[in-house]
Amino acid sequence: MDLVFVIDSSSSIFPNEFVRQLEFLENITGALDVGPSPDQSRVGVVSFSDEPRLEFTLGQHIEKAAVVSAIRRINYLSGGTNTAAAIGLAADSMFLKDNGARSNAKDVIIVITDGESFSESETKASALKARERGIVMLAIGVGVNVNVNELRLITGVPEYVYQVSKYEDLRNITEALINKTCIGLYLHITLEAILVSM
């Protein structure tokens, strides 16, 4: 799996909550088999506020310890919630061979946000474009101000939407998210193999 986190770094998040979000990324990374081998996973991160920022690519840090260290160095941005641009940057820039993406890996984006984007329609269009490329989209909403409909538009699959009441509760969905992602990818890849063989 080539996994890209798209994380909210807008003004609605307090610095301590942003740290909880980074800890969640660490937990997911720690639970995955991250490494340089073709059958291992790779991780990249895009953060966003008014504009998205590519924190590190899939090929920039291949060993698990290096990925965790890079996550801990991500700085809080502050600003608005330009989710559409962040998804677009992740889809357009991350899954390239020059940035460490692999043709034999399944592409996954996990979006984490605690509010509404600048434009629901633009976010929907950006996510749809990513899904049409074969990227699996998952979304996590934090708190009461999140736009749940927008999360559903991002994923296209209601079962790929998660909600928690606060950032420290992200740790409670770590196992469920990993299981859903891995099982979902297994079924997707198996279906693709069956269709190819027909």
Side-chain angles (χ1 to χ4, degrees):
M1 176 167 55
D2 285 343
L3 171 62
V4 175
F5 291 102
V6 174
I7 62 171
D8 198 332
S9 189
S10 62
S11 298
S12 60
I13 302 174
F14 292 117
N16 64 311
E17 294 175 327
F18 187 72
V19 171
R20 296 287 180 271
Q21 186 175 204
L22 296 184
E23 289 173 350
F24 176 67
L25 268 59
E26 287 184 43
N27 291 338
I28 296 291
T29 301
L32 294 174
D33 182 20
V34 175
S37 299
D39 59 346
Q40 291 181 296
S41 294
R42 293 187 181 179
V43 175
V45 178
V46 168
S47 63
F48 67 95
S49 56
D50 292 311
E51 297 295 334
R53 183 169 69 184
L54 199 160
E55 298 292 351
F56 59 88
T57 66
L58 293 163
Q60 197 167 341
H61 305 290
I62 297 178
E63 299 291 347
K64 182 180 293 190
V67 174
V68 170
S69 180
I71 289 171
R72 292 174 179 172
R73 293 195 300 270
I74 295 174
N75 294 319
Y76 173 60
L77 297 175
S78 184
T81 310
N82 197 346
T83 314
I87 293 173
L89 177 63
D92 293 341
S93 302
M94 282 292 197
F95 302 103
L96 302 174
K97 184 178 180 181
D98 288 346
N99 284 336
R102 301 158 298 168
S103 60
N104 64 323
K106 195 60 191 173
D107 301 333
V108 180
I109 291 176
I110 298 179
V111 179
I112 308 174
T113 184
D114 72 344
E116 295 188 52
S117 70
F118 287 158
S119 169
E120 183 179 285
S121 61
E122 291 181 10
T123 299
K124 174 185 177 182
S126 187
L128 178 60
K129 184 179 178 181
R131 297 202 310 272
E132 287 175 342
R133 294 181 179 180
I135 301 171
V136 176
M137 301 290 299
L138 295 96
I140 303 172
V142 183
V144 298
N145 295 319
V146 71
N147 183 339
V148 179
N149 184 62
E150 188 171 67
L151 299 183
R152 292 170 179 160
L153 294 174
I154 289 173
T155 66
V157 182
E159 292 77 15
Y160 283 0
V161 173
Y162 292 82
Q163 286 182 266
V164 295
S165 60
K166 50 188 181 298
Y167 277 95
E168 64 186 41
D169 290 339
L170 285 170
R171 59 190 176 189
N172 298 332
I173 65 169
T174 301
E175 184 176 353
L177 183 66
I178 291 171
N179 288 339
K180 176 68 69 65
T181 304
C182 293
I183 292 172
L185 290 178
Y186 172 77
L187 293 175
H188 188 92
I189 293 169
T190 301
L191 178 59
E192 285 182 342
I194 292 173
L195 292 175
V196 168
S197 65
M198 292 178 65

